[in-house]
Amino acid sequence: LHDRISGVSVIWIDDEDASNAPTSLSFVSSTTSAASTITCPTVEPGDIGILWDVAGDSGPPSTVVPSGWTAISNVNVDAGTYAIRAVLSYRVFDGTEDGSTITGMAGNNSEPKVLLLFRPNAGSVVTALELQSPWNEFCADANAPVQTISASGQPAPLIRIAATGRVATTPTVSLTGTFDAATIGQTDNNARAVIGYAVQNSSPSDDNTIDNNLSGGAHALVSGWLRAI
């Protein structure tokens, strides 16, 4: 079930008692891959996975959203030899997925992937995810405009996400505001999939301005927040 409430995208997972809603989230792990698949880490029921999947080819690779996952953002540009597609998706795990193979996109030039895992506080039940709406999205052979993660005043807990990817070169991403870390997934041709995150367990008082310092070349930049309720 999917609703929009006052400009916020809400994805309902189930209808457990709202009193069990998460009050905090913690970062657990990051997993990277340089192939069309990535291995699911050890998970517990209610864990939230965020997957950043970048693939390059002589034309934008076909979209693949792994089974059981939901796409947040899907962007692409046809730039000839180094066309690119980038998909950001999420999953709420039930705890049975340990070690399973997650199949994403394949590309002749590259296919780097990064999976971030977050865990709600013990005893809580994740019943829905709210997403920033609209999500910030860019993918072109051009300078990416600055993006803003409009998290100020949003109820906690939430996760700010910024992700960039480029094929056949090494992109950098500048994350201003309060970010915890950035994970880099590298594959052949020096392609990169970079994703930064910040866990906010109290209501944020600031927004984040996002840039990846690239003036051209086919690349993707997406950002926004998601909140577990």
Side-chain angles (χ1 to χ4, degrees), residues 42-99:
T42 301
V43 295
E44 296 182 2
D47 283 357
I48 299 168
I50 306 295
L51 178 64
W52 180 229
D53 188 357
V54 176
D57 209 326
S58 56
S62 298
T63 299
V64 176
V65 178
S67 177
W69 293 71
T70 300
I72 299 171
S73 176
N74 180 355
V75 295
N76 75 91
V77 62
D78 190 344
T81 302
Y82 294 114
I84 185 175
R85 184 180 297 277
V87 178
L88 183 72
S89 56
Y90 77 88
R91 179 170 183 164
V92 178
F93 293 106
D94 63 19
T96 66
E97 301 88 349
D98 292 4

Side-chain angles (χ1 to χ4, degrees), residues 27 29-35 38 50-54 111-116 162-166 169-175 180-197 212:
F27 173 73
S29 66
S30 63
T31 304
T32 64
S33 172
I38 189 169
I50 306 295
L51 178 64
W52 180 229
D53 188 357
V54 176
E111 47 207 17
K113 296 167 178 53
V114 184
L115 194 164
L116 304 181
T164 188
R166 191 175 183 182
T169 191
T170 302
T172 58
V173 58
S174 298
L175 306 177
D180 299 334
T183 297
I184 299 173
Q186 185 175 8
T187 185
D188 54 7
N189 291 329
N190 292 320
R192 292 282 178 100
V194 182
I195 183 167
Y197 69 90
N212 66 358

Side-chain angles (χ1 to χ4, degrees), residues 98-113:
D98 292 4
S100 62
T101 298
I102 300 166
T103 300
M105 293 188 292
N108 285 337
N109 288 329
S110 59
E111 47 207 17
K113 296 167 178 53

